[in-house]
Amino acid sequence: MSMHAKDSTERGIDYMTDTRPIAAGGNTPGCKKRDPIVVAENVSRSFGGINAVDVEYLEIPRHKITALIGPNGAGKTTLFNLLTGFDTPNSGKWQFEGNSLAGVSSYKVARMGMVRTFQLTKVMGKLTVMENMRLGGSSQPGERLSKALFKGLWGGREKEITAQANVLLEKFKLDAKKDDYAASLSGGQRKLLEMARSLMVQPKLVMLDEPMAGVNPALTQSLLDHIKNLKAEGMTVLFVEHDMNMVRHIADWVVVMAEGKIVAEGPPGEVMKNPAVIDAYLGAHHDVDLGDAEGIKELEAELEADEESVVGTEDAGILSVDVIAAEVAQEKEQK
Amino acid sequence: MDYSSILSSAIGELISPTTAAYALAALGLAVHFGYSGLLNFGQAGFMAVGAYGFAISTLTFGVPFFVGLLIAVVASAVFALVLGIPTLRLRADYLAIVTIAAAEIVRYLVTTSGWTAVTGSANGLADFEDGFYSMNPFPEGSYLGMNNRDFFIRVVGWGLVVVCCVLIWLLMRSPWGRVLKGIREDENAVRSLGKNVYAYKMQALIIGGSLGALAGMVFTLPRGAVQPSNYGTELTFFLWTCLLLGGMATVLGPVIGAMMFWVVLSLTQGVLTGLIESGAVTWLSTIQAGQLRYILVGIALMLLMIFRPQGVFGNKKELAFA
């Protein structure tokens, strides 16, 4: 991750405050992006005659947080599975950083830097939290059978992985739980662990499937901060979420799916006013919270009352100041 | 009743080569199920492949002992590959079905009369152990009440158990073992972290199967004969009993489990026979007593599952989340 962060400062772009347009043209469904990381073309998957996913064209912008929303059964998770190699589409091609992913198995996709989490959280219950984290560590030679017997060959890398895991666990406030079995964690803590574990792979694109589902509201703010910080570290985030407040709060770009198709795309404020979206997502029962100014005000008032949130302070928009404050200060000095 | 002879025969079981063979094969099952979550119900098949691989290569092809040993292990690895290639991509229960069927196929293949010249059919093969005993470094004499041949096979058998335990322990504490344990818990999660789950499962299947092949040889050498009836389905389930007695995801568990299994069998046999011979029990023949002890083992296993489900060496904490 530090590597990514260095990249960003080298090019002199702070991804947290980058305001250049995301789309290359208009914000239409399937529009071209200025700098796409994932490109999917004509990807379709049907289950017994029902088209679960039928995406004509989709680009995911690099260094941005993209939300994938849509009603239940819209094909969001299926699209996740297709993109990450956990399921095979009936047709279509898709690529990650210019490399075609058709027919590439899921573990290779993960090694390329495209790491996902699951809607139903998957933690290794009978391994400790620390072991769960270490499992995410990449290029550990001891994971090869030929080298596993000799600790001298992998002990050094193990120390590095452990140090990396400690930093992440501290950030995600799981450091006290380090030696407990993952099965003893609460649902929200498991979500945090799964996310932290996926970051151990040092991915370029993090795909979070409902990161907020079942998370205690008290943890919501810190989870939001974590997701925003990923962008500061040079990662791209794609997430599925039903919580519109969260989408509104952290997403730079919103892709709306309905019945397997992309029905709208654009910045959150714009998309949520789109009548097609309101129709697809909420049907006749239009909830005031969605794009409504009052709903947003309510959320902001709530967040201001929250000590951990930076909304309403001068650091608004740059979450977890303590983590990146040093970097920001450095950049200012360079300028 | 002669308590001292009952006790001494029970203690004899503790270090018998058959117990060592059970310990090795159960250790293989621990690698399969305890650490990797692979449901192998055909460990008897791996043992048969090992035993027959060794016996046939020695008798039919006249190879030296160590070449025969190598052939036995390679044959079991090939057997694991054949079983694993179609099933390891599927859910765990498919492997269970395929292994139980494959073990029976192996047993029927060596029983078939068409290949009597090679496999000896139902009578099996004998006289292949000379190469092994010719390496015996112990001169004739009495060693702890055993002759030099019995002593040699025990030293080799248990030496093999110790070496394999150390190897498995080293493997399971390594990052490689961690990936296996992760696969046991949730293979899709491990896949999403960039690990080639299929390759790991295949490696585990081969390692556990090779332990089964070694067990088959240790089982067959002191008998001086290999017979298909020794490798029936019940052998697999005795091995599972040993594994569950000792604790699944442990290295010492299968070894202690195998010892407990044989000591309990020997004690119940001794006590029941003693009771019948002394006239205290009249409603049971000695043949029935031999059957009854397996019923008692079954009851003991049920009690164990109820009161100590993690086995003797298992970690109770792990079970709290099962």
Side-chain angles (χ1 to χ4, degrees):
Chain A
M1 278 171 303
S2 56
M3 195 183 69
H4 294 298
K6 209 171 71 196
D7 274 359
S8 73
T9 48
E10 268 170 13
R11 272 185 255 143
I13 300 162
D14 181 358
Y15 297 121
M16 295 299 280
T17 52
D18 182 14
T19 51
R20 290 174 300 167
I22 291 169
N27 298 339
T28 52
C31 62
K32 296 259 186 198
K33 305 298 184 309
R34 183 172 45 77
D35 184 14
I37 188 165
V38 171
V39 182
E41 251 179 285
N42 292 318
V43 171
S44 73
R45 175 77 168 102
S46 61
F47 297 107
I50 297 161
N51 267 344
V53 166
D54 188 8
V55 171
E56 256 176 48
Y57 194 83
L58 176 66
E59 288 186 354
I60 309 289
R62 195 193 304 269
H63 298 311
K64 296 290 170 195
I65 299 178
T66 304
L68 184 57
I69 65 170
N72 291 326
K76 306 181 296 290
T77 297
T78 309
L79 182 63
F80 256 50
N81 288 343
L82 294 175
L83 290 178
T84 50
F86 278 85
D87 194 2
T88 321
N90 301 97
S91 69
K93 48 185 179 177
W94 64 111
Q95 54 179 25
F96 174 69
E97 293 201 306
N99 302 311
S100 172
L101 290 183
V104 175
S105 48
S106 49
Y107 79 93
K108 284 185 185 149
V109 172
R111 281 186 193 172
M112 289 165 89
M114 188 169 166
V115 173
R116 68 170 299 182
T117 66
F118 295 87
Q119 188 174 8
L120 299 169
T121 324
K122 292 183 187 296
V123 296
M124 288 74 174
K126 288 180 201 167
L127 296 183
T128 63
V129 169
M130 184 42 113
E131 290 282 274
N132 263 275
M133 293 294 285
R134 285 187 186 134
L135 200 50
S138 50
S139 43
Q140 163 58 279
E143 285 178 1
R144 294 187 160 278
L145 183 54
S146 52
K147 292 179 180 154
L149 281 177
F150 312 105
K151 197 175 181 181
L153 295 177
W154 51 261
R157 177 69 187 137
E158 190 79 348
K159 279 200 188 103
E160 290 168 25
I161 288 175
T162 309
Q164 188 195 348
N166 273 323
V167 171
L168 277 171
L169 284 176
E170 208 168 306
K171 261 195 211 173
F172 282 72
K173 298 197 174 63
L174 286 169
D175 44 338
K177 289 267 180 189
K178 179 156 87 171
D179 298 318
D180 294 354
Y181 282 112
S184 72
L185 298 181
S186 73
Q189 286 171 324
R190 287 182 200 203
K191 279 274 174 204
L192 289 176
L193 174 59
E194 197 187 27
M195 206 168 129
R197 192 181 60 199
S198 69
L199 298 181
M200 286 294 290
V201 188
Q202 303 193 319
K204 294 172 189 149
L205 170 63
V206 191
M207 298 173 66
L208 306 167
D209 202 341
E210 301 205 14
M212 292 304 197
V215 173
N216 166 3
L219 276 172
T220 312
Q221 187 54 45
S222 76
L223 203 53
L224 285 178
D225 290 356
H226 289 313
I227 296 174
K228 277 214 138 182
N229 275 325
L230 298 180
K231 196 169 65 163
E233 283 159 0
M235 285 181 228
T236 306
V237 181
L238 174 65
F239 70 97
V240 170
E241 188 53 62
H242 284 295
D243 181 340
M244 282 309 126
N245 289 335
M246 171 183 172
V247 172
R248 177 81 194 205
H249 194 57
I250 66 167
D252 301 306
W253 192 259
V254 178
V255 176
V256 187
M257 279 183 86
E259 290 167 7
K261 291 184 166 60
I262 309 288
V263 292
E265 271 191 72
E270 195 179 299
V271 162
M272 284 174 192
K273 286 182 203 129
N274 185 334
V277 175
I278 295 167
D279 189 41
Y281 204 82
L282 298 159
H285 305 284
H286 177 189
D287 189 333
V288 284
D289 264 358
L290 179 62
D292 190 287
E294 251 183 62
I296 298 305
K297 269 181 199 157
E298 264 172 43
L299 172 72
E300 288 191 334
E302 262 174 50
L303 290 171
E304 267 176 40
D306 187 343
E307 272 188 8
E308 282 192 8
S309 170
V310 288
V311 173
T313 68
E314 60 176 19
D315 290 314
I318 305 173
L319 296 168
S320 275
V321 186
D322 49 326
V323 181
I324 48 167
E327 283 180 51
V328 173
Q330 236 181 1
E331 270 172 46
K332 274 182 188 162
E333 265 177 40
Q334 281 171 357
K335 279 170 196 167
Chain B
M1 235 187 331
D2 186 356
Y3 290 105
S4 66
S5 85
I6 292 173
L7 216 58
S8 71
S9 76
I11 290 168
E13 289 295 346
L14 211 57
I15 55 157
S16 83
T18 306
T19 308
Y22 271 55
L24 274 176
L27 185 63
L29 279 185
V31 172
H32 285 158
F33 185 68
Y35 288 109
S36 324
L38 301 172
L39 268 174
N40 172 12
F41 280 120
Q43 190 69 336
F46 282 99
M47 286 177 75
V49 167
Y52 272 94
F54 172 70
I56 291 173
S57 52
T58 305
L59 290 176
T60 309
F61 302 103
V63 299
F65 174 77
F66 283 105
V67 178
L69 178 83
L70 193 69
I71 289 173
V73 172
V74 170
S76 72
V78 171
F79 188 54
L81 276 174
V82 170
L83 292 184
I85 286 170
T87 52
L88 286 185
R89 286 188 203 280
L90 306 171
R91 276 202 331 259
D93 30 2
Y94 291 97
L95 182 71
I97 297 164
V98 168
T99 47
I100 200 168
E104 283 297 279
I105 290 171
V106 168
R107 196 163 65 86
Y108 281 112
L109 281 181
V110 294
T111 315
T112 182
S113 54
W115 296 339
T116 309
V118 179
T119 63
S121 187
N123 293 325
L125 299 165
D127 297 329
F128 47 77
E129 73 277 24
D130 293 341
F132 175 71
Y133 284 112
S134 67
M135 293 186 295
N136 192 346
F138 303 106
E140 277 190 44
S142 175
Y143 300 85
L144 308 168
M146 288 173 264
N147 65 30
N148 62 339
R149 277 169 70 103
D150 286 355
F151 187 67
F152 180 49
I153 181 69
R154 278 168 178 77
V155 168
V156 171
W158 286 101
L160 204 56
V161 171
V162 170
V163 169
C164 290
C165 279
V166 171
L167 281 178
I168 298 301
W169 180 78
L170 282 173
L171 281 177
M172 291 309 162
R173 67 153 195 179
S174 75
W176 182 82
R178 180 170 65 218
V179 177
L180 276 192
K181 288 178 233 170
I183 291 170
R184 175 190 69 196
E185 300 296 315
D186 194 313
E187 60 174 80
N188 274 335
V190 176
R191 213 169 264 140
S192 77
L193 296 172
K195 321 287 180 206
N196 187 352
V197 169
Y198 183 66
Y200 280 97
K201 283 162 99 176
M202 188 62 90
Q203 287 165 357
L205 190 66
I206 290 174
I207 290 174
S210 305
L211 289 174
L214 290 176
M217 290 184 57
V218 173
F219 184 79
T220 213
L221 277 172
R223 284 173 175 71
V226 48
Q227 283 167 331
S229 58
N230 282 337
Y231 300 95
T233 319
E234 72 274 12
L235 173 58
T236 298
F237 289 101
F238 290 156
L239 295 173
W240 275 92
T241 307
C242 298
L243 181 68
L244 295 176
L245 280 171
M248 287 185 292
T250 58
V251 169
L252 279 183
V255 178
I256 303 299
M259 288 176 164
M260 282 166 54
F261 179 79
W262 280 105
V263 166
V264 170
L265 271 188
S266 166
L267 280 180
T268 47
Q269 169 81 5
V271 169
L272 282 171
T273 316
L275 286 175
I276 292 162
E277 279 169 1
S278 66
V281 173
T282 50
W283 42 270
L284 206 65
S285 72
T286 45
I287 297 164
Q288 286 168 327
Q291 306 298 322
L292 183 63
R293 62 191 184 138
Y294 285 109
I295 297 175
L296 292 176
V297 167
I299 292 172
L301 190 63
M302 281 162 68
L303 291 174
L304 186 88
M305 285 295 107
I306 293 165
F307 294 107
R308 200 175 165 80
Q310 74 275 26
V312 174
F313 281 89
N315 185 345
K316 182 87 188 181
K317 258 164 74 191
E318 285 191 2
L319 235 81
F321 311 113

